[in-house]
Amino acid sequence: MKQSQMLIPTLKEVPADAEIKSHQLLVRAGYIRQIASGIYSFLPIGRRVLRKVEDIVREEMEKIGAHEMMMAALQPAELWKESGRWFTYGSELMRLHDRHERDFALGATHEEVITSIVRDEIKSYKRLPLTVFQIQNKFRDEKRPRFGLLRGREFLMKDAYSFNESFESLDESYNQMFQAYSNIFKRLGLNFRAVIADSGQMGGKDTHEFMVLSDVGEDVIAYSDTSDYAANIEMAPVIMTYEKSQDAPKQMEKVSTPDQKTMQDVADYLGHGLEAGLKSIMFKVDDRYVMVVTRGDHEVNDIKLKNLYDADIVELASEEKTKELLGTGFGSLGPVGVSEEVEVVADYAVEALANVSCGANEAGYHFVNVTPQQDFKVSQYADLRFIKEGDPSPDGQGHIQFARGIEVGHVFKLGTFYADNLNASYLDDQGKAQTMVMGSYGIGVSRTVAAIVEQYNDERGITWPAHIAPFQVHLLSLNPKKEEQKQLADQLYEQLKTAGIEVLYDDRKERAGVKFADSDLFGIPLRLTVGKRAGEGIIEMKERTTGEQSEVDQSDVLSTVNEWFKQ
Ligand code: ATP
Ligand code: MG
């Protein structure tokens, strides 16, 4: 394609709102443009990259027998009321109504739509298992859209759904999908890990996230330094046994701790380490109020708390409610002498302690020499803290290290949640009605494009893996006003096109410096420059990623290019 005729607006300056590489480069190189917060259009070269990623996803889906369809993005509220998610999904769901005041949602995901189709069309076990997928824009009114394509409010997702006769059959579909995802991200050239994840609001059990390793990732992965264990930090269980303190419990005492705000302040003031103080945080767990107590150097993991109570919603209690229940606000909370209304649960590490400090539920005061069970009651000890670097790996092999990750894919075993709510059943081989068992599998296609750029860039621009780049070859004619350069470049352009090579031809009347800079920005793997030596039929070839340069004779260009792509 001729660059002079293409919409590829490049920018010299980094856009002010773009904090991370992928956002900066995709905008600067003319791949995308923002139209509103978290909403982007893909310009022609952006569309080409997106399509290449889509095609890989498509191929791997079809390989495991999933078939492509396209569901409506506009979904009637009734369906979401049937599943119950109209009431639980919250403000991320984009809601609107039609001219008859009927409520609709823009598809944030499509479990309801596909389940309603399948329940109407599939009646017999003979038609199961069935897996379908689509690649389509999704809408989510994210609280903090940011980082360009990484967290948008409209974004491209591949979503797939499996319908199975049994949980065993679901396991098979899930494993196939898991393998397909591994193939996809490998083919995309990404450095990724599949990690054990939390099932969140989808109501499922087994679930894995596919994480691209990157410092800009929002998720933290806990992985073993010796085995292939990896989990989202939210999910990694702590399997330590804490050695019980041998100190004899002393007499608890109330001491004044004026103006000591943080855990660290209090520990310093009392002259002990963070681990010798208790951290007490008030949570609202569905309808009850729970005080969670951990060691001062540990962090409460609210997902573990949620799972402990099998709760729908876990949030911090308001300061107002905390005052009402404990007589004091945040900052000096502790488990000693709290009313019956407050349930105290503690992390396993707390059980082993003796003679530690904690807030006295009175501003400016703490208790010292506090010993669990003797000085306060705990209704339940459980694993309630985040794993830390250096903790033993949950699989018993090695120790935990952290890495940041971008979640590009997610596979869930949904079970019967949607089938139950929407009445999706089939007749088994005995003619008995059975509930369908479902799985749901997503890939953030547009997010994946950004994740690739995060892993493939240098100081001059993007360095796409060859098969993802918008074009294979960038052909530059440095001075198209010179007839011999124009002629040779025109000729090469036709030759490459005819040979089926995807070529972008910079035929613009721009300075050479501008052309080189744009070319580096785009990240097309191979650059052919027709310049001063056009008269001798000599072309300069440069690899984008390595910067390696060579001179090629006009007659060898095609074979050299073909050879390069073969490797
Ligand atoms: P996140 O935790 O990042 O919000 P999610 O758990 O809400 O993701 P899923 O509902 O599992 O995401 O959606 C499937 C995939 O869609 C995700 O793995 C991710 O790659 C992608 N995705 C989700 N939300 C966004 C978004 N706001 N912008 C771009 N891609 C997204
Ligand atoms: Mg989300």
Side-chain angles (χ1 to χ4, degrees):
M1 262 153 241
K2 291 190 174 169
Q3 211 169 317
S4 61
Q5 295 165 4
M6 245 182 137
L7 178 63
I8 323 180
T10 55
L11 303 175
K12 274 211 205 73
E13 305 295 327
V14 175
D17 64 329
E19 296 164 67
I20 61 164
K21 272 280 153 140
S22 59
H23 188 188
Q24 296 170 355
L25 290 172
L26 288 167
V27 172
R28 282 189 57 211
Y31 284 85
I32 58 169
R33 281 294 179 268
Q34 181 179 297
I35 166 163
S37 168
I39 308 178
Y40 290 86
S41 298
F42 284 80
L43 305 188
I45 55 171
R47 183 67 190 104
R48 290 179 71 94
V49 169
L50 203 55
R51 184 166 284 138
K52 290 189 181 186
V53 175
E54 280 176 40
D55 285 346
I56 288 176
V57 171
R58 220 171 244 124
E59 271 176 42
E60 295 296 332
M61 287 297 106
E62 275 158 11
K63 260 191 220 161
I64 58 165
H67 295 293
E68 186 166 6
M69 58 188 289
M70 189 155 92
M71 290 179 242
L74 200 51
Q75 309 180 3
E78 283 67 37
L79 274 181
W80 284 72
K81 287 177 183 163
E82 273 188 71
S83 73
R85 288 205 297 179
W86 184 257
F87 311 104
T88 58
Y89 206 93
S91 35
E92 246 182 54
L93 190 64
M94 293 265 197
R95 299 162 206 251
L96 65 164
H97 46 74
D98 69 6
R99 63 172 75 207
H100 307 294
E101 296 297 321
R102 282 189 284 251
D103 288 324
F104 284 83
L106 284 175
T109 160
H110 279 69
E111 281 80 7
E112 284 81 1
V113 176
I114 191 62
T115 307
S116 80
I117 294 173
V118 171
R119 86 170 156 208
D120 292 344
E121 307 305 332
I122 303 283
K123 305 287 183 202
S124 158
Y125 72 97
K126 290 179 194 147
R127 304 282 303 281
L128 299 176
L130 176 79
T131 304
V132 292
F133 77 98
Q134 63 172 347
I135 298 179
Q136 186 205 44
N137 275 9
K138 294 285 183 282
F139 301 86
R140 292 183 185 179
D141 199 358
E142 297 278 353
K143 200 196 277 169
R144 287 186 66 204
R146 59 184 193 143
F147 292 167
L149 299 182
L150 283 188
R151 185 166 296 285
R153 295 195 296 164
E154 175 174 352
F155 58 95
L156 190 64
M157 195 202 285
K158 184 285 302 178
D159 44 328
Y161 306 90
S162 71
F163 292 82
N164 301 81
E165 276 181 78
S166 61
F167 281 87
E168 292 72 45
S169 167
L170 171 61
D171 286 347
E172 275 172 40
S173 297
Y174 185 90
N175 292 342
Q176 280 182 343
M177 200 54 87
F178 188 99
Q179 192 53 50
Y181 275 39
S182 300
N183 295 346
I184 289 167
F185 296 119
K186 242 180 250 159
R187 282 180 65 184
L188 291 172
L190 287 164
N191 180 13
F192 70 96
R193 295 285 287 249
V195 309
I196 303 162
D198 178 60
S199 51
Q201 60 187 336
M202 307 279 289
K205 283 282 169 272
D206 250 353
T207 139
H208 286 85
E209 289 165 350
F210 287 77
M211 295 277 190
V212 168
L213 302 186
S214 163
D215 289 341
V216 306
E218 291 180 333
D219 293 272
V220 178
I221 304 163
Y223 67 94
S224 162
D225 57 4
T226 54
S227 74
D228 61 6
Y229 178 87
N232 193 311
I233 186 182
E234 294 170 340
M235 285 303 288
V238 174
I239 51 148
M240 289 175 73
T241 40
Y242 302 91
E243 216 168 298
K244 185 125 181 101
S245 166
Q246 297 302 314
D247 294 351
K250 297 184 198 156
Q251 180 61 44
M252 180 178 84
E253 235 182 289
K254 195 199 270 186
V255 297
S256 149
T257 49
D259 302 325
Q260 307 306 314
K261 297 249 156 27
T262 65
M263 286 291 304
Q264 189 68 57
D265 292 345
V266 173
D268 290 346
Y269 186 82
L270 296 174
H272 60 60
L274 265 184
E275 72 291 343
L278 297 179
K279 187 185 278 180
S280 312
I281 302 181
M282 282 297 295
F283 284 91
K284 182 166 187 253
V285 180
D286 289 339
D287 293 330
R288 58 181 125 193
Y289 286 89
V290 177
M291 178 184 278
V292 180
V293 183
T294 62
R295 228 165 64 182
D297 59 330
H298 291 158
E299 298 295 331
V300 178
N301 181 334
D302 51 347
I303 302 241
K304 288 182 179 176
L305 181 62
K306 188 172 167 204
N307 291 342
L308 180 70
Y309 282 93
D310 201 9
D312 290 323
I313 297 171
V314 165
E315 55 193 5
L316 288 175
S318 67
E319 185 143 26
E320 219 181 320
K321 187 69 194 180
T322 304
K323 272 193 188 135
E324 186 190 316
L325 289 167
L326 297 166
T328 182
F330 302 151
S332 48
L333 298 183
V336 177
V338 300
S339 76
E340 296 282 303
E341 264 181 284
V342 177
E343 200 168 311
V344 177
V345 294
D347 180 67
Y348 286 129
V350 171
E351 199 172 9
L353 300 173
N355 304 320
V356 291
S357 72
C358 69
N361 294 326
E362 187 178 335
Y365 287 93
H366 278 74
F367 286 120
V368 294
N369 294 331
V370 176
T371 302
Q373 292 317 124
Q374 173 179 301
D375 298 314
F376 64 90
K377 270 206 251 80
V378 172
S379 70
Q380 189 172 180
Y381 287 102
D383 170 19
L384 287 170
R385 72 165 173 97
F386 277 107
I387 205 162
K388 294 212 300 192
E389 278 191 294
D391 281 346
S393 175
D395 68 346
Q397 298 178 52
H399 291 88
I400 284 300
Q401 292 193 337
F402 287 172
R404 300 195 79 85
I406 300 169
E407 180 198 322
V408 287
H410 205 164
V411 289
F412 289 99
K413 288 184 189 171
L414 290 174
T416 58
F417 179 84
Y418 293 92
D420 276 334
N421 289 345
L422 280 93
N423 287 319
S425 62
Y426 66 94
L427 295 179
D428 67 14
D429 56 0
Q430 312 290 316
K432 231 176 100 199
Q434 303 280 2
T435 307
M436 291 184 192
V437 183
M438 288 174 61
S440 144
Y441 318 91
I443 289 181
V445 180
S446 47
R447 180 183 282 185
T448 299
V449 169
I452 297 172
V453 177
E454 286 299 331
Q455 288 193 346
Y456 288 88
N457 71 76
D458 62 18
E459 65 291 346
R460 286 172 295 130
I462 304 174
T463 56
W464 295 111
H467 58 299
I468 310 296
F471 293 92
Q472 294 172 287
V473 170
H474 197 191
L475 173 66
L476 272 54
S477 96
L478 281 194
N479 189 352
K481 280 185 221 146
K482 291 227 163 88
E483 193 50 34
E484 61 188 16
Q485 288 193 25
K486 181 174 182 322
Q487 242 178 32
L488 177 56
D490 280 354
Q491 213 179 356
L492 281 174
Y493 176 54
E494 290 307 325
Q495 213 184 349
L496 289 164
K497 264 200 318 185
T498 313
I501 289 164
E502 298 170 73
V503 51
L504 178 67
Y505 176 19
D506 191 350
D507 58 336
R508 296 174 303 163
K509 296 189 176 65
E510 286 284 359
R511 284 185 298 112
V514 172
K515 293 191 173 190
F516 286 138
D518 278 355
S519 181
D520 283 343
L521 205 50
F522 297 157
I524 298 168
L526 218 49
R527 181 165 87 200
L528 299 176
T529 306
V530 179
K532 282 201 192 83
R533 298 185 68 187
E536 306 156 63
I538 301 281
I539 291 120
E540 188 193 273
M541 181 168 114
K542 187 173 181 186
E543 290 180 22
R544 173 64 185 87
T545 303
T546 62
E548 235 167 82
Q549 277 175 328
S550 52
E551 292 191 328
V552 188
D553 193 87
Q554 172 184 4
S555 56
D556 295 333
V557 166
L558 209 55
S559 57
T560 310
V561 168
N562 275 327
E563 193 52 37
W564 192 87
F565 277 100
K566 240 186 249 150
Q567 290 169 10

